[in-house]
């Protein structure tokens, strides 16, 4: 644990204090063009020798006029990201306390203007003092050792050439340097305190960030549903087909035709699933969050049913190709796929009945399969498939219901989707 003098030394001369001093000097450099412009204007108006001619009135007047000009230019939207980048690196403030992106709202622009004015204002004073004070302090500390310096000092104030007075030059010079370090550290600490206040996120920034986060979560959930339904169904179907082929091969008189059909179904299912997986992963790599997800629709439903590993009775009402929009067609395919996966996992490969009915600008999907005599095996943590079905239906403006039928002998999944609208 540091002692008191050590903490004071670190506060005045440590790495953080040095970075903040650099930050202040940069502010002084940013103020210089405004200051020069105002000094030229004051020189013309007042007919003086100019800012470099020794007129303190012109120098400080130019400084006072430069600050409003700096504040006005800080209203440009890109000023905030530049200021934030510099403040993150040099102020010693946690990065998450700053806002990201250009200033769009009036509150964000006003905060940026306030910060920029404070930065260049304090920076101009500290930078000017850093240029002028150290040479003067060094000259003061050399008074006891130089007769010429003492003679020059005597011309400014009577008695400074006396040895006793000149001996005070060393502590006086050190005090000047210490005062400069303290002023710089104090100005840097003030900037660090005000940085999150003036450059932090406004309510509009927080709302925009929340909307971006919600959009990212929606995309992630959307891709997770696609992967869950596609890969999950494929694994369930492949597991069932492989298990059935293994049992048939282990029989005394194996049915090789059945085994061949099972292996063919496994091959086609895995090939189709690998294609779907590549499409989804390609979308992830490209970062196209708003792009339409590639995937099969109702045109591929016959292939899905034929290689599902289940006996499915399908009843169709209406012209599904002509009346069902593409987004709805894709979601219906995934919903049916998830229903088949649940029947494979929990229904002991019992027959499944599927009905698709398009009428009154709505598409109704109903799936039923007998419930097994024993309780279904529940995976640790539960499944997410039925939740995904409900989400798919809700995103299209529809609804999904699932559960045992009235008699308790079958499981029913019923989904109602509008055909005239809805979006993801």
């Amino acid at each position: 644990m540091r002692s008191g003098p050590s903490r004071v030394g670190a506060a005045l001369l440590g790495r953080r204090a040095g970075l903040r001093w650099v930050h202040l000097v940069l502010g002084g450099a940013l103020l210089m063009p405004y200051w020069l412009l105002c000094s030229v204007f004051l020189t013309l108006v007042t007919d003086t020798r100019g800012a470099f001619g020794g007129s303190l009135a012109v120098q400080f007047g130019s400084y006072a006029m430069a600050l409003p000009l700096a504040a006005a230019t800080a209203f440009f939207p890109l000023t905030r990201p530049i200021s934030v980048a510099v403040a993150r690196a040099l102020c010693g403030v946690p990065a998450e306390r700053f806002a990201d992106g250009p200033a769009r709202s009036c509150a964000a622009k006003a905060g940026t203007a306030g910060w920029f004015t404070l930065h260049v204002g304090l920076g101009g004073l500290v930078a000017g003092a850093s240029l002028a004070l150290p040479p003067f302090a060094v000259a003061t500390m050399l008074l006891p050792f130089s007769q010429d310096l003492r003679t020059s000092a005597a011309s400014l104030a009577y008695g400074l050439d006396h040895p006793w007075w000149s001996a005070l030059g060393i502590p006086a010079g050190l005090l000047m340097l210490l005062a400069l370090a303290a002023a710089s550290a104090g100005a840097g600490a003030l900037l660090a305190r005000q940085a999150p206040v003036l450059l932090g996120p406004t309510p509009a920034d927080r709302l925009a960030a929340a909307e971006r986060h919600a959009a990212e979560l929606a995309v992630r959930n959307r891709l997770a549903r696609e992967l869950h339904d596609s890969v999950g169904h494929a694994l369930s179907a492949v597991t069932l087909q492989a298990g059935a082929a293994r049992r048939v091969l282990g029989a005394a008189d194996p049915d090789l035709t059945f085994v061949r059909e099972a292996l063919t179904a496994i091959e086609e299912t895995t090939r189709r699933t690998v294609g779907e997986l590549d499409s989804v992963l390609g979308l992830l790599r490209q970062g196209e969050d708003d792009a339409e997800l590639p995937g099969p629709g109702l045109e591929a439903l016959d292939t899905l049913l034929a290689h599902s590993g289940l006996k499915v009775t399908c009843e169709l009402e209406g012209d599904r190709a002509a009346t069902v929009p593409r987004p709805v067609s894709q979601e219906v395919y995934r919903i049916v796929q998830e229903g088949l996966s649940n029947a494979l996992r929990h229904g002991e490969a019992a027959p499944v009945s599927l009905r698709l009915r398009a009428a009154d600008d709505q598409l109704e999907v109903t799936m039923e399969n007998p419930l097994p005599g024993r309780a279904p095996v529940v995976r640790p943590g539960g499944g997410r498939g039925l939740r995904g079905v409900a989400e798919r239906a809700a995103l299209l403006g529809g609804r999904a219901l699932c559960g045992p039928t009235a008699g308790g002998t079958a499981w029913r999944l019923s989904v109602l989707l509008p055909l005239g609208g809805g979006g993801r």
Side-chain angles (χ1 to χ4, degrees), residues 40-105:
V40 170
F41 173 77
L42 285 181
T43 299
L44 296 175
V45 172
T46 59
D47 195 22
T48 60
R49 290 184 297 170
F52 298 102
S55 174
L56 291 178
V58 172
Q59 292 182 23
F60 284 102
S62 301
Y63 172 82
M65 291 178 61
L67 295 181
L69 288 179
T73 58
F75 276 87
F76 288 99
L78 291 179
T79 305
R80 185 171 73 169
I82 297 174
S83 299
V84 165
V86 178
R88 275 176 172 163
L90 300 176
C91 270
V93 179
E96 63 272 10
R97 300 186 64 184
F98 291 100
D100 292 317
R104 301 297 184 188
S105 64

Side-chain angles (χ1 to χ4, degrees), residues 234-263:
L235 291 177
S236 298
V238 166
T239 301
L240 180 66
Q241 297 280 9
R246 178 182 55 81
R247 287 193 296 271
V248 170
L249 283 175
D253 185 16
D255 186 352
L256 297 182
T257 302
F258 176 84
V259 174
R260 189 178 298 108
E261 292 176 353
L263 293 177

Side-chain angles (χ1 to χ4, degrees), residues 97-122:
R97 300 186 64 184
F98 291 100
D100 292 317
R104 301 297 184 188
S105 64
C106 293
K109 292 178 180 179
T112 304
W115 163 262
F116 191 72
T117 306
L118 182 65
H119 181 202
V120 299
L122 291 177

Side-chain angles (χ1 to χ4, degrees), residues 107-410:
K109 292 178 180 179
T112 304
W115 163 262
F116 191 72
T117 306
L118 182 65
H119 181 202
V120 299
L122 291 177
L125 295 176
V126 171
S130 298
L131 288 174
L133 193 57
F136 182 76
V138 171
T140 303
M141 288 188 289
L142 292 177
L143 283 177
F145 310 104
S146 174
Q147 180 61 44
D148 293 337
L149 287 176
R150 289 197 298 271
T151 303
S152 299
S155 64
L156 298 176
Y158 177 76
L160 288 182
D161 59 339
H162 193 281
W164 290 105
W165 284 110
S166 62
L168 297 177
I170 296 176
L174 291 175
L175 286 175
M176 292 178 193
L177 295 177
L178 184 62
L180 176 61
S184 175
L190 176 61
L191 285 179
R193 284 196 301 270
Q194 295 303 315
V197 177
L198 298 175
L199 295 178
T202 63
D205 294 326
R206 294 188 178 93
L207 179 60
E211 291 175 348
R212 288 194 301 269
H213 183 62
E216 292 170 359
L217 287 179
V219 171
R220 287 173 54 187
N221 290 336
R222 178 183 172 193
L223 295 174
R225 285 195 302 270
E226 295 295 323
L227 292 175
H228 173 275
D229 292 351
S230 177
V231 178
H233 169 76
L235 291 177
S236 298
V238 166
T239 301
L240 180 66
Q241 297 280 9
R246 178 182 55 81
R247 287 193 296 271
V248 170
L249 283 175
D253 185 16
D255 186 352
L256 297 182
T257 302
F258 176 84
V259 174
R260 189 178 298 108
E261 292 176 353
L263 293 177
T264 301
I266 291 174
E267 179 184 2
E268 293 180 355
T269 300
T270 52
R271 182 183 294 113
R272 182 182 69 250
T273 305
V274 167
E276 295 176 7
L277 184 61
D278 285 343
S279 299
V280 175
L281 293 181
L283 192 65
L284 275 175
R285 285 191 295 267
Q286 296 168 9
E288 298 175 0
D289 294 347
D290 297 328
E292 187 69 27
L293 267 178
L298 287 177
E299 75 283 350
L301 189 61
D302 293 337
T303 303
L304 174 67
L305 300 181
H307 299 94
S308 64
L310 295 168
K311 182 179 180 180
V312 182
T313 303
C314 184
E315 179 183 353
L316 306 176
E317 298 181 16
D319 186 357
R320 62 183 182 183
T323 59
V324 179
R326 184 63 186 174
V328 178
S329 176
Q330 290 179 317
E331 297 294 7
V332 169
Y333 180 92
R334 294 302 187 194
I335 289 171
V336 173
Q337 191 177 54
E338 177 58 30
L340 294 175
S341 298
N342 286 334
L344 281 170
R345 293 191 188 103
H346 310 303
E348 296 182 345
V352 177
S353 64
L354 169 64
R355 185 180 69 170
L356 300 174
R357 186 173 69 90
D360 300 328
D361 292 330
Q362 290 182 328
L363 177 64
E364 183 180 3
V365 183
T366 305
M367 299 183 69
E368 286 190 14
N369 61 277
L371 286 173
R374 57 177 177 80
V377 177
V378 180
R379 289 176 293 168
R384 297 178 177 85
L386 294 177
R387 184 193 308 170
V389 169
E391 291 174 354
R392 290 179 185 276
L395 288 174
L396 290 174
R399 64 177 185 273
L401 299 173
C402 61
T405 58
T409 59

